[in-house]
Structures are given as C-alpha cells and as structure tokens.
Amino acid sequence: MARVIVVTSGKGGVGKTTTSASISTGLALRGYKTAVIDFDVGLRNLDLIMGCERRVVYDLINVVNGEANLHQALIKDKHCENLFILPASQTRDKDALTEEGVEKVLKELEHMGFDYVICDSPAGIERGAVMALTFADEAIVVSNPEVSSVRDSDRILGILQSKSRRAMEGREPVKEHLLVTRYAPKRVEDGEMLSYKDVQELLRVPLIGVIPESDDVLQASNQGTPAIHLKDSDVATAYQDVIARFLEEERPLRFVNYEKPGLLKRIFGGK
Amino acid sequence: MSLLSYFFGSKQKTASVAKERLSLIIAHERGTNRAPDFLPELQRELIAVISKYVNVGPDDIKVQLEKQDNCEILEVNITLPEQPQR
C-alpha cells in the first residue's frame, strides 16, 4: 500500500515546499520508493527546489487529462535512486484538478510500487489545497511560531478533519503531525517568539520536529538541492530527525535551546 | 532611553501576548468552523415544528454545539413569547 502524506499549512511561505523536498528525499534515502507531487497548479516551484526545472516535459494536469502517462511525466531525481517528482502545471488553472483525476494518479502510483507519495499542498484553503489533502493518510502540518501561521494551521486541521476522504467515509482519521519551522531559540528565550510547546499546545497535534531558522535553506534552494542533503547543517540534521520520528524511531529534539556563543565564536564570528 | 532599556532588558515579552490572543481566537473559530453541516437545517426544521404550536420567529431559536473535553453538548435555546398564542 502506498502511503499518501500531505504537507500543508494554510499560510504561504512557511516552508511547505522545502519540507516536501526534504521529507521525500529523506524517505527515498532510507530506501523507500517515493514520489513527490506538486499540487500548486499555476505556480509550480517544487521543480526549482528539487533542481529538476529544466527536465519538466509533462505535468500533473497532463496526466490527469490523459495527455501523458505517468511514466512520461515522472522525473527521476538527480540525487536519489528511489525518488520521482511530478511537477504541477504552469499554464493551467487549478480548476483543471479533479478529484477523480487525482485519485487515478494516486492509484496508478500505487500500482507502480511506490511506498510513499508526498503531496506538496499550495497555500490557501481552495481547490488545490483541498485536492492535496483529500486522499491523505497522514498530514504534516507546517507552522511557523507566529500568530497568522498558527491560526491558518488550525484552519487547515479543521479542513483535514472534515474534507479528507478518511473523514468523509468515517474511517480512521488522517494521522496528523506538527512540524514547527523557522524556529529561533534565542528569540524564544527572549520571550519574542512562541515556543514550539506553545504552538503544540494551541494546535493539539503531536510534534514531529522543529526546524531551526537558518540561512542554509536559501543556500539549498539557490542550488536546487533539498536542504536535507546539506553537509554540516542543522537544518539537514533536523530533517533527518523528522524522517526518523516519522518511521517511529526515537529521537530527542535538537536545536530548540539557545546556546550562548562561546568566546572564540564571538571573536571569530561564526554562524 | 534605548540605552537604558538595553542594559536593563525592559523589552516587552510579546510571545505571551501572542499565545493568549491565539488561544482565544482558535477556540472561537473551532466553535464556529467545525460545527457539523446539519445545524442550519436542524434549526430550520425546529422552527417549523415549534412555530406550529407556539408563535416563535426564526430568531427565537438558537442551536449551538459545544465541546467540553470529550463531551459534545447540543444546546437548543427557545425563547417563548411572553403571552403564548394558541
């Protein structure tokens, strides 16, 4: 059975695509055959983050409309053996996504032997976002420790609990995970930023990880390399921990406490 | 001023303000957004039935679903007119 995981948030710019890219890469690196689908029809970006933008020929809408088959549309990732990307259409609008179409694509991926399908949701609560979560078995809700992001995450949780197939059919509910991103421990310690505990308490969803705010994310997207590949980066380590917890391995939280820079670090500067 | 506040760290702790605001608004929105779809329909039907016997208007009946921990409470509030008319 292919497990369908939606990466969603409601609010834009919180790190959904960064997370989709790193989660799908992380699962593929663990040996699972993984597909990552960009549901942001009209504003595709996953291809850029994954570094495959020049290899896009067909997209999700082409497959939904039967203009191309999945084998033609799936792009093999350049770093990982088991990872495939299905880009969004850049020219069509989001009404081209139908529930039947998405279901057909997911079923076919299952037939092709995929273990995991990651659905990268667009921002908002409209068609694209609803389509991305409709067939989800699990959801990673990405939230920044910031008021509008937390509120929007709560909205999207409400939609998951009412509009997903699992909810509609009264099956076991979608398994929800909270991922707090762009976390700045120093600002939390100074009382300027909500702590991950605050966010979790407000949203009441089990925490799967905390990704620290870092310049590395921009470095990664500049190069079209998912952040999880970066060497000696806290962000990469934090995403690897998320994968481990997702696979039900115990991992203590890291990068959530502020460590005062030592004297040497202060003199010579460091990150 | 800014130098003083720099030394004495009188910076306002805004995170707690954020948490308090969020807990209020989220609790409020959960109540309104997650109400089941049948509530408006139920309200309409209740009005239809009750107004057969008592002279009540659409605004006299309030139907609310509240959640307390694991328990859901369906609250129906009917305001009867002062002199019931048969």
Side-chain angles (χ1 to χ4, degrees), chain A residues 2-3 21 48 51 65 97 100 108 115 131 143 152 174 210 212 231 236 245 253 266:
Chain A
R3 202 91 180 132
L48 272 177
N65 291 345
L97 268 184
E100 298 74 43
E108 226 177 300
D115 297 304
M131 283 301 123
S143 193
D152 291 356
V174 177
V210 176
K231 296 272 174 277
R245 289 186 203 109
L253 275 181
R266 267 192 278 172

Side-chain angles (χ1 to χ4, degrees), chain A residues 10 18 28 41 44 72 75 81 85 99 106 121 123-124 144 150 157 167 180 190 194 209 216 232 234:
Chain A
T18 301
V41 177
R44 80 164 166 238
Q72 294 172 299
I75 303 168
E81 197 57 39
I85 300 123
E99 207 167 304
L106 293 175
S121 172
N144 291 166
V150 174
L157 283 166
V180 177
D190 290 346
L194 290 165
D216 298 347
D232 308 314
D234 290 355

Side-chain angles (χ1 to χ4, degrees), chain A residues 21-35 50 77-84 115-116 225-231 236 239-240 243-244 247 249:
Chain A
S22 285
I23 298 280
S24 55
T25 300
L27 288 170
L29 288 173
R30 290 290 196 106
Y32 296 101
K33 190 173 179 188
T34 307
M50 301 288 298
D77 183 63
K78 59 183 175 189
H79 305 285
C80 305
E81 197 57 39
N82 304 323
L83 181 57
F84 295 83
D115 297 304
Y116 288 106
T225 307
I228 197 168
H229 282 304
L230 294 174
K231 296 272 174 277
Y239 273 120
Q240 278 155 13
I243 296 295
L247 298 171
E249 297 164 17

Side-chain angles (χ1 to χ4, degrees), chain A residues 88-148:
Chain A
S89 171
Q90 187 67 306
T91 49
R92 309 292 261 280
D93 65 286
K94 52 186 181 297
D95 296 332
L97 268 184
T98 60
E99 207 167 304
E100 298 74 43
V102 174
E103 190 170 18
K104 191 188 82 178
V105 170
L106 293 175
K107 281 226 172 95
E108 226 177 300
L109 286 170
E110 174 152 17
H111 281 305
M112 289 166 76
F114 277 92
D115 297 304
Y116 288 106
V117 179
I118 314 294
C119 302
D120 181 22
S121 172
I125 52 171
E126 283 164 46
R127 192 178 190 84
V130 175
M131 283 301 123
L133 65 78
T134 298
F135 299 96
D137 298 306
E138 303 195 34
I140 295 177
V141 177
V142 182
S143 193
N144 291 166
E146 179 269 327
V147 286
S148 49

Side-chain angles (χ1 to χ4, degrees), chain A residues 151 154 191-192 201-202, chain B residues 11 14-15 19 29-30 34:
Chain A
R151 181 201 216 171
D154 191 65
E192 290 177 22
E201 207 176 296
L202 288 159
Chain B
K11 217 183 226 172
T14 52
K19 192 183 178 190
E29 287 176 344
R30 273 189 191 154
R34 295 188 193 178

Side-chain angles (χ1 to χ4, degrees), chain B residues 58-69:
Chain B
D59 296 333
D60 297 330
I61 298 179
K62 297 261 184 298
V63 181
Q64 262 183 330
L65 195 72
E66 274 181 37
K67 222 175 187 175
Q68 285 173 354
D69 300 324

